[in-house]
Amino acid sequence: MTTLFTNARLINPAEGTDAPGWLLVAEGKIAGFGTDTPPAADESIDCGGLCLAPGIVDIGVKVCEPGERHKESYKSAGLAAAAGGVTTMVTRPDTLPAIDTPETLEFVARRANEAAPVNVLPMAALTKGREGREMTEIGFLMDAGAVAFTDCDHVVRDTKVLSRALTYARSCGALVIAHPQEPVLSKGAAATAGKFAALRGLPSVSPMAERMGLDRDIALVEMTGARYHADQITTARALPALERAKNNGLDVTAGTSIHHLTLNELDVADYRTFFKIKPPLRAEDDRLALIAAVKSGLIDVISSMHTPQDEESKRLPFEEAASGAVALETLLPAAMRLYHNGDLTLPELFRALALNPAQRLGLASGQMAEGAPADLVLFDPDAPFVLDRFKLRSKSKNTPFDDARMQGKVQATYVAGEAVYRRD
């Protein structure tokens, strides 16, 4: 069975092209694409001039199984991902209990494969219980299917423990994903230090806490030779250190969240807790610096950092409210803000949304190339809508984009050439 997509606007992040053409799918893989006369196929889909791009590979998705299934399940997260053009979710181990043993990892992998219509790749904890005291069985966890190791926002404070874990990870070829923050300075922070936080009376953290955390991690990577990815770079202060690490030939990459690219600290306004995320929203100068870093390739990955929180944990005073926002369905339309503002082209966006994260994890997806998995998203970048959080497929509805005017609608999502979502 072959399927031909015709009259499409092909977004090719590897080549940096955005051009009309056709794409052929056979046996779940891309069999060819081009701008000339299309070949014959068993089935033909007219894309109507809409954009056809590699499906998003989203690193850092929190699915609350086991432990907090009322916030998000693999089924609800998978449906949200499909509706948002995310064809691969790379899930975090910050569950209850943490995913720190092969048995727990195999449980969540089985649950994910049963329930989610998209690809799910689990990460495992770097230390047992994410407590920073004793490293996990990295080799066994890799054998069980872990694609990376992270303690998420629990920064490993003991430098000796982290250096040993990085050394062992290097011997296994494992990727370590870290949260660059100085943990003492950033503890309890609800905002970024500055005039706005002072006027609102919010506990805050200096942007230097991120720079300090990244400097330490880079020094340990230089010492151990480990493969390292910073989950979120959110301040301009951290960018020179990242650039130096890359120029020195270290195996270092970095990501940032869509919220830090499209929102700033002033969006908190009168203590709106849906805007409370971790790290906190930054100044506008930081946001602009991050966009420039994504454009230049200094920041490699854009992710949703999807973090479901229930109403009870958000309907609290700002300082006490839980951090995090759901973003699987809003990732693409929020990214379209950067496109419509002229900040990033569509190939540049999908380089960070699909190609780079897939390559960092050693996946064949995320690209428009012959033989690559036919994980695709068909979307209209111009379609306007007003977001209603209660229509999101996630169980939790904590999005900062509620009632926001947005552009960009996913029309269909394909995994291995099969439609897992079609807009009604």
Side-chain angles (χ1 to χ4, degrees):
M1 181 73 181
T2 57
T3 303
L4 180 68
F5 294 86
T6 61
N7 193 20
R9 183 177 161 188
L10 300 179
I11 311 300
N12 189 333
E15 300 296 330
T17 56
D18 175 357
W22 54 267
L23 183 140
L24 181 67
V25 172
E27 298 180 353
K29 296 184 177 181
I30 297 174
F33 60 94
T35 58
D36 52 357
T37 303
D42 299 320
E43 179 188 14
S44 181
I45 297 174
D46 187 343
C47 298
L50 300 182
C51 294
L52 186 66
I56 296 169
V57 178
D58 193 5
I59 296 179
V61 175
K62 179 168 183 177
V63 179
C64 306
E65 287 189 70
E68 297 177 298
R69 198 167 181 271
H70 64 286
K71 292 184 179 180
E72 193 79 287
S73 66
Y74 278 103
K75 181 177 182 180
S76 61
L79 293 173
V86 176
T87 53
T88 299
M89 297 191 297
V90 184
T91 57
R92 296 178 354 219
D94 52 345
T95 50
L96 297 174
I99 301 171
D100 58 1
T101 65
E103 294 78 16
T104 311
L105 187 76
E106 288 167 356
F107 164 76
V108 298
R110 186 170 62 251
R111 283 285 303 138
N113 289 328
E114 290 171 354
V118 301
N119 303 312
V120 181
L121 302 176
M123 296 189 285
L126 184 64
T127 65
K128 293 182 179 180
R130 298 169 55 235
E131 294 176 349
R133 292 198 292 264
E134 183 182 355
M135 70 178 177
T136 54
E137 297 169 325
I138 292 174
F140 290 143
L141 284 161
M142 288 184 73
D143 291 342
V147 295
F149 295 84
T150 177
D151 278 355
C152 305
D153 59 351
H154 284 193
V155 178
V156 180
R157 300 186 183 211
D158 191 320
T159 307
K160 184 170 284 189
V161 170
L162 182 56
S163 66
R164 287 174 176 168
L166 288 170
T167 300
Y168 192 80
R170 179 184 182 275
S171 71
C172 296
L175 176 66
V176 174
I177 298 181
H179 184 71
Q181 286 290 319
E182 203 295 312
V184 178
L185 283 177
S186 58
K187 184 179 181 181
T192 300
K195 183 178 179 180
F196 179 80
L199 287 172
R200 289 290 186 268
L202 294 172
S204 60
V205 60
S206 168
M208 285 303 294
E210 181 170 286
R211 165 73 177 277
M212 293 165 68
L214 184 62
D215 278 336
R216 182 198 70 155
D217 288 358
I218 288 172
L220 291 173
V221 170
E222 186 175 355
M223 183 174 79
T224 61
R227 299 173 61 218
Y228 175 92
H229 177 78
D231 64 352
Q232 294 185 81
I233 297 296
T234 62
T235 68
R237 293 283 183 90
L239 295 175
L242 175 63
E243 187 170 18
R244 283 196 304 272
K246 288 191 169 189
N247 290 341
N248 289 338
L250 301 181
D251 194 350
V252 169
T253 53
T256 192
S257 84
I258 191 61
H259 300 117
H260 288 99
L261 290 171
T262 55
L263 304 169
N264 66 30
E265 60 185 351
L266 302 181
D267 286 303
V268 171
D270 294 325
Y271 310 103
R272 297 168 67 189
T273 59
F274 282 176
F275 290 84
K276 186 182 180 184
I277 59 175
K278 186 184 289 187
L281 291 173
R282 306 300 193 179
E284 178 66 4
D285 287 346
D286 288 313
R287 188 185 76 85
L288 296 176
L290 294 178
I291 293 171
V294 172
K295 189 172 184 68
S296 70
L298 179 58
I299 289 180
D300 307 89
V301 173
I302 299 172
S303 60
S304 70
M305 294 310 294
H306 178 83
T307 306
Q309 300 289 3
D310 54 22
E311 295 287 325
E312 289 77 11
S313 61
K314 278 292 188 182
R315 298 294 184 190
L316 293 169
F318 195 89
E319 184 177 343
E320 300 172 23
S323 298
V326 294
L328 283 167
E329 279 184 79
T330 58
L331 175 56
L332 186 59
M336 289 303 100
R337 289 184 171 187
L338 303 172
Y339 165 66
H340 289 296
N341 288 342
D343 296 321
L344 297 168
T345 65
L346 289 177
E348 287 169 342
L349 275 170
F350 276 87
R351 181 185 66 193
L353 288 168
L355 178 64
N356 286 349
Q359 290 187 337
R360 191 54 169 148
L361 295 168
L363 308 178
S365 58
Q367 60 183 321
M368 196 160 284
E370 288 189 30
D375 297 347
L376 304 165
V377 55
L378 180 67
F379 67 98
D380 183 346
D382 302 314
F385 67 100
V386 176
L387 185 79
D388 180 356
R389 70 187 183 101
F390 294 106
K391 292 183 179 179
L392 295 176
R393 288 158 181 80
S394 293
K395 285 189 176 183
S396 297
K397 312 297 180 183
N398 53 306
T399 172
F401 297 114
D402 188 32
D403 289 333
R405 295 182 182 275
M406 308 188 83
Q407 281 180 278
K409 286 184 178 180
V410 174
Q411 298 300 318
T413 303
Y414 301 87
V415 173
E418 297 293 326
V420 294
Y421 169 78
R422 282 196 178 96
R423 180 170 291 279
D424 298 334

